[in-house]
Amino acid sequence: MNTHTHFPAPLLLALLLVMLSTGCENKRDDSGSLGGMWQLTEWRAADGTIAYQKPDTTLYYKVRQNLLMLQELPGETDSYFLTRYHRTPDSLVIDRPYKIVNNAERDTVLHPITDLRRYGIPANGRLHIDVLRSDRMLLSGEEGKLLFRKY
């Protein structure tokens, strides 16, 4: 008498697929057109004047999932700001900025949102999305209008 029981192949395959799909984490970036590295090409203050004019440096916004990295290059190669953001239908809302300083004794320090003003982020952390395409982004807020190109 044979006492071995056999699982049907479809049941075994289904069990394997369930185990694989629940064990894998989705690491794909779902930021859509917003995701990627953006280079500031122009920053105009509310009165229309040029607000950022440093010929040897450039501001970058790097977006991945719900994180925004703010960096001025080549000036800040050892430090940058990292913030969380969420997106509404017409805006980016930024909060909890941390300054990351490489090789520092204390390398992650929470900063007030007002420290991001030099990146065009207003005190309320809200930037309106005026234009967002795969290659161009225009944001506006209390600090003026920020025009970016996808880098």
Side-chain angles (χ1 to χ4, degrees):
M1 180 163 167
N2 188 359
T3 60
H4 294 13
T5 58
H6 295 283
F7 285 111
L11 180 61
L12 188 58
L13 182 60
L15 181 62
L16 180 64
L17 288 174
V18 167
M19 287 176 26
L20 287 176
S21 66
T22 59
C24 297
E25 184 178 335
N26 183 2
K27 296 184 183 190
R28 287 178 285 165
D29 185 16
D30 60 354
S31 304
S33 297
L34 186 59
M37 185 167 166
W38 295 92
Q39 178 186 26
L40 181 73
T41 58
E42 183 177 272
W43 177 357
R44 293 214 173 253
D47 65 2
T49 61
I50 299 291
Y52 183 85
Q53 193 167 7
K54 294 183 182 179
D56 297 335
T57 61
T58 304
L59 294 179
Y60 291 93
Y61 283 25
K62 300 171 189 174
V63 180
R64 178 151 173 89
Q65 294 179 340
N66 65 340
L67 294 176
L68 172 64
M69 179 180 170
L70 304 165
Q71 192 170 30
E72 184 176 43
L73 293 175
E76 296 181 353
T77 56
D78 289 344
S79 66
Y80 54 90
F81 279 94
L82 190 62
T83 72
R84 293 204 177 268
Y85 79 91
H86 70 272
R87 186 172 170 187
T88 67
D90 66 348
S91 298
L92 291 178
V93 182
I94 297 157
D95 63 352
R96 295 192 336 237
Y98 285 87
K99 185 159 191 178
I100 310 298
V101 181
N102 295 331
N103 300 321
E105 191 172 305
R106 189 168 178 208
D107 65 353
T108 305
V109 180
L110 183 62
H111 280 254
I113 194 109
T114 53
D115 286 358
L116 300 182
R117 185 173 184 201
R118 66 188 181 130
Y119 295 98
I121 310 287
N124 66 5
R126 182 175 293 274
L127 289 168
H128 186 268
I129 301 171
D130 297 330
V131 174
L132 179 58
R133 296 194 314 241
S134 62
D135 63 339
R136 184 171 182 259
M137 176 169 66
L138 178 63
L139 303 174
S140 61
E142 295 170 0
E143 302 301 321
K145 292 193 177 284
L146 305 160
L147 180 62
F148 294 87
R149 74 176 182 105
K150 184 77 72 105
Y151 189 73

